[in-house]
Coordinates of all heavy atoms in Angstrom, one line a residue:
E170 N 52.9 -153.2 114.4 CA 53.8 -152.1 114.0 C 53.9 -152.2 112.4 O 53.8 -153.3 111.9 CB 55.1 -152.2 114.6 CG 55.1 -152.1 116.1 CD 56.4 -152.1 116.8 OE1 57.3 -151.2 116.5 OE2 56.7 -153.0 117.6
N171 N 54.1 -151.1 111.8 CA 53.9 -151.0 110.3 C 55.2 -151.4 109.6 O 55.9 -150.6 109.0 CB 53.6 -149.6 109.9 CG 53.1 -149.5 108.5 OD1 52.6 -150.4 107.9 ND2 53.4 -148.3 107.9
T172 N 55.6 -152.7 109.8 CA 56.8 -153.2 109.2 C 56.7 -153.6 107.8 O 57.7 -153.7 107.0 CB 57.3 -154.5 110.0 OG1 56.2 -155.4 110.0 CG2 57.7 -154.1 111.4
S173 N 55.5 -153.9 107.3 CA 55.3 -154.6 106.0 C 54.2 -154.1 105.1 O 53.4 -154.9 104.7 CB 55.2 -156.1 106.2 OG 54.1 -156.4 107.1
P174 N 54.0 -152.8 104.9 CA 52.8 -152.3 104.2 C 52.8 -152.9 102.7 O 51.7 -153.2 102.2 CB 53.0 -150.8 104.1 CG 54.5 -150.6 104.4 CD 54.9 -151.7 105.3
V175 N 53.9 -153.1 102.1 CA 53.9 -153.6 100.7 C 53.4 -155.1 100.7 O 52.5 -155.5 100.0 CB 55.2 -153.4 100.0 CG1 55.3 -154.2 98.7 CG2 55.6 -152.0 99.9
I176 N 54.1 -155.9 101.5 CA 53.8 -157.3 101.5 C 52.3 -157.5 102.0 O 51.6 -158.4 101.5 CB 54.8 -158.1 102.4 CG1 56.2 -158.0 101.7 CG2 54.4 -159.5 102.5 CD1 57.3 -158.6 102.5
D177 N 51.9 -156.7 103.0 CA 50.5 -156.8 103.4 C 49.6 -156.5 102.3 O 48.5 -157.2 102.2 CB 50.3 -155.8 104.6 CG 51.1 -156.1 105.8 OD1 51.6 -157.2 106.0 OD2 51.2 -155.2 106.7
G178 N 49.9 -155.5 101.5 CA 49.0 -155.2 100.4 C 48.9 -156.4 99.4 O 47.8 -156.7 98.8
L179 N 50.1 -157.0 99.1 CA 50.1 -158.1 98.1 C 49.3 -159.3 98.7 O 48.5 -159.9 98.0 CB 51.5 -158.6 97.9 CG 52.5 -157.5 97.3 CD1 53.9 -158.1 97.1 CD2 52.0 -157.0 95.9
A180 N 49.4 -159.5 100.0 CA 48.7 -160.6 100.7 C 47.2 -160.4 100.6 O 46.4 -161.3 100.4 CB 49.2 -160.8 102.1
R181 N 46.8 -159.1 100.8 CA 45.3 -158.8 100.8 C 44.7 -159.0 99.4 O 43.5 -159.3 99.3 CB 45.1 -157.4 101.3 CG 45.4 -157.2 102.8 CD 45.0 -155.8 103.3 NE 45.3 -155.7 104.7 CZ 46.4 -155.0 105.1 NH1 47.2 -154.4 104.2 NH2 46.7 -154.9 106.4
R182 N 45.5 -158.8 98.4 CA 45.0 -159.0 97.1 C 45.2 -160.4 96.5 O 44.8 -160.7 95.4 CB 45.7 -158.0 96.1 CG 45.4 -156.5 96.5 CD 45.7 -155.6 95.4 NE 47.2 -155.6 95.1 CZ 48.1 -154.8 95.7 NH1 47.7 -154.1 96.7 NH2 49.3 -154.9 95.4
G183 N 46.0 -161.2 97.3 CA 46.3 -162.6 96.8 C 45.8 -163.6 97.8 O 44.6 -163.5 98.3
V184 N 46.6 -164.6 98.0 CA 46.2 -165.7 98.9 C 47.2 -165.7 100.1 O 48.4 -165.9 99.8 CB 46.2 -167.1 98.2 CG1 45.7 -168.2 99.2 CG2 45.2 -167.0 97.0
N185 N 46.8 -165.6 101.3 CA 47.7 -165.6 102.4 C 47.5 -166.9 103.3 O 46.3 -167.3 103.6 CB 47.4 -164.4 103.3 CG 48.3 -164.3 104.5 OD1 49.5 -164.7 104.4 ND2 47.8 -163.8 105.6
F186 N 48.6 -167.5 103.6 CA 48.6 -168.7 104.5 C 49.3 -168.3 105.8 O 50.5 -168.4 105.9 CB 49.3 -169.9 103.8 CG 48.6 -170.4 102.6 CD1 48.9 -169.9 101.4 CD2 47.8 -171.5 102.7 CE1 48.2 -170.4 100.2 CE2 47.2 -172.0 101.6 CZ 47.4 -171.5 100.4
P187 N 48.5 -167.8 106.8 CA 49.1 -167.4 108.0 C 49.7 -168.5 108.9 O 50.4 -168.2 109.8 CB 48.0 -166.7 108.8 CG 46.8 -167.3 108.2 CD 47.1 -167.6 106.8
R188 N 49.4 -169.8 108.6 CA 49.9 -170.9 109.3 C 50.8 -171.8 108.4 O 50.6 -173.0 108.3 CB 48.8 -171.7 110.0 CG 48.0 -170.9 111.0 CD 47.0 -171.9 111.7 NE 47.7 -172.9 112.4 CZ 47.2 -174.1 112.7 NH1 46.0 -174.4 112.2 NH2 47.9 -175.0 113.4
A189 N 51.8 -171.2 107.8 CA 52.8 -171.9 107.0 C 54.0 -172.3 107.8 O 54.5 -171.5 108.6 CB 53.1 -171.1 105.7
Y190 N 54.6 -173.4 107.5 CA 55.7 -173.9 108.3 C 56.9 -174.2 107.3 O 56.7 -174.9 106.3 CB 55.4 -175.2 109.1 CG 54.5 -174.9 110.3 CD1 53.1 -174.9 110.2 CD2 55.1 -174.6 111.5 CE1 52.3 -174.6 111.2 CE2 54.3 -174.3 112.6 CZ 52.9 -174.3 112.5 OH 52.1 -174.0 113.6
S191 N 58.1 -173.7 107.7 CA 59.3 -174.3 107.2 C 59.6 -175.6 107.8 O 59.1 -175.9 108.9 CB 60.5 -173.3 107.5 OG 61.7 -173.9 107.0
H192 N 60.3 -176.5 107.1 CA 60.5 -177.9 107.7 C 61.7 -178.0 108.5 O 62.0 -179.1 109.0 CB 60.4 -178.9 106.5 CG 59.1 -178.9 105.8 ND1 58.0 -179.4 106.4 CD2 58.7 -178.3 104.7 CE1 56.9 -179.2 105.6 NE2 57.3 -178.5 104.5
E193 N 62.5 -177.0 108.6 CA 63.6 -176.9 109.6 C 63.8 -175.4 109.9 O 63.2 -174.6 109.3 CB 64.9 -177.6 109.1 CG 65.3 -178.9 109.8 CD 65.5 -178.7 111.3 OE1 65.7 -177.6 111.8 OE2 65.4 -179.7 112.0
S194 N 64.6 -175.2 111.0 CA 64.7 -173.8 111.4 C 66.0 -173.2 111.0 O 66.5 -172.2 111.6 CB 64.6 -173.7 112.9 OG 65.6 -174.5 113.6
Y195 N 66.7 -173.8 110.0 CA 67.9 -173.1 109.4 C 67.9 -173.4 107.9 O 67.3 -174.4 107.4 CB 69.2 -173.5 110.1 CG 69.5 -175.0 110.0 CD1 70.4 -175.5 109.1 CD2 69.0 -175.9 111.0 CE1 70.7 -176.8 109.1 CE2 69.3 -177.2 111.0 CZ 70.2 -177.7 110.0 OH 70.6 -179.0 110.0
T196 N 68.6 -172.5 107.2 CA 68.6 -172.4 105.7 C 69.0 -173.7 105.0 O 68.3 -174.2 104.1 CB 69.5 -171.3 105.2 OG1 69.1 -170.1 105.9 CG2 69.4 -171.1 103.7

Protein backbone atom coordinates (compact mmCIF):
# COMPACT_ATOMS: atom_id res chain seq x y z
CA GLU A 1 0.00 0.00 0.00
CA ASN A 2 1.20 3.49 -0.85
CA THR A 3 2.03 4.66 2.67
CA SER A 4 5.47 6.17 2.03
CA PRO A 5 6.13 7.56 -1.47
CA VAL A 6 8.49 10.29 -0.18
CA ILE A 7 10.61 8.09 2.08
CA ASP A 8 10.65 5.39 -0.61
CA GLY A 9 12.04 7.92 -3.07
CA LEU A 10 14.75 9.02 -0.65
CA ALA A 11 15.69 5.39 -0.02
CA ARG A 12 15.89 4.61 -3.74
CA ARG A 13 18.32 7.50 -4.21
CA GLY A 14 20.29 6.74 -1.07
CA VAL A 15 21.29 3.71 0.98
CA ASN A 16 18.56 1.47 2.38
CA PHE A 17 19.08 -1.08 5.16
CA PRO A 18 15.92 -3.25 5.12
CA ARG A 19 17.20 -5.40 8.00
CA ALA A 20 17.95 -2.77 10.64
CA TYR A 21 17.19 -3.39 14.31
CA SER A 22 16.42 -1.20 17.25
CA HIS A 23 18.05 -2.59 20.40
CA GLU A 24 14.85 -2.56 22.45
CA SER A 25 11.18 -2.30 21.61
CA TYR A 26 10.43 0.91 23.50
CA THR A 27 11.72 4.46 23.31
